[in-house]
Amino acid sequence: VIKTIQAKSEITELNQPQIINCTGLGAASLFDDKELIPVSGQLCVLLPQEDIDYSYVAPAKQGSLYMFPRKDGIILGGTMDKGNWSTDPDPLVSKRILEGHANIAGKVVKS
């Protein structure tokens, strides 16, 4: 069951034996948590490729880069921006992620 919760009191009204909290940034207002610190992350998703059957995490200038293949696409990531409340994707971050992974793959990316 997927449900939008507007107030903390609605949680106790649920009949489910287990509740998974996926409120993300919404946890701050839902639970009146003034100490919540956002950590923004950004992903790029490539089309799925059957021959990519491995994952990696690699060091990078700004943290790390990671790749996880799935049936519905290849997830490329490598951001962690502490204190950033924005949920808008940043084209420069996408470019950095894609170029970083292209370098790992041994390809040259032209701007």
Side-chain angles (χ1 to χ4, degrees):
V1 173
I2 298 173
K3 181 174 176 71
T4 300
I5 304 290
Q6 300 295 328
K8 202 170 25 174
S9 60
E10 293 178 47
I11 295 171
T12 59
E13 297 170 11
L14 298 173
N15 292 328
Q16 284 71 28
Q18 296 178 357
I19 299 170
I20 299 171
N21 178 356
C22 299
T23 55
L25 292 178
S29 60
L30 184 61
F31 295 102
D32 195 29
D33 185 350
K34 308 261 187 282
E35 296 181 27
L36 185 131
I37 299 170
V39 179
S40 175
Q42 188 167 317
L43 302 173
C44 296
V45 182
L46 304 179
L47 292 173
Q49 299 175 42
E50 289 183 21
D51 57 325
I52 304 295
D53 59 357
Y54 56 90
S55 301
Y56 63 78
V57 177
K61 289 179 184 177
Q62 297 175 330
S64 62
L65 294 171
Y66 53 86
M67 181 196 70
F68 300 109
R70 301 182 343 182
K71 289 181 182 180
D72 61 343
I74 298 175
I75 306 302
L76 302 179
T79 66
M80 192 171 98
D81 189 9
K82 190 174 180 179
N84 182 358
W85 286 90
S86 175
T87 57
D88 296 327
D90 181 338
L92 293 176
V93 171
S94 295
K95 182 179 180 193
R96 181 182 64 77
I97 290 171
L98 292 171
E99 287 179 351
H101 286 283
N103 286 335
I104 291 171
K107 305 209 186 285
V108 177
V109 175
K110 296 180 181 178
S111 300

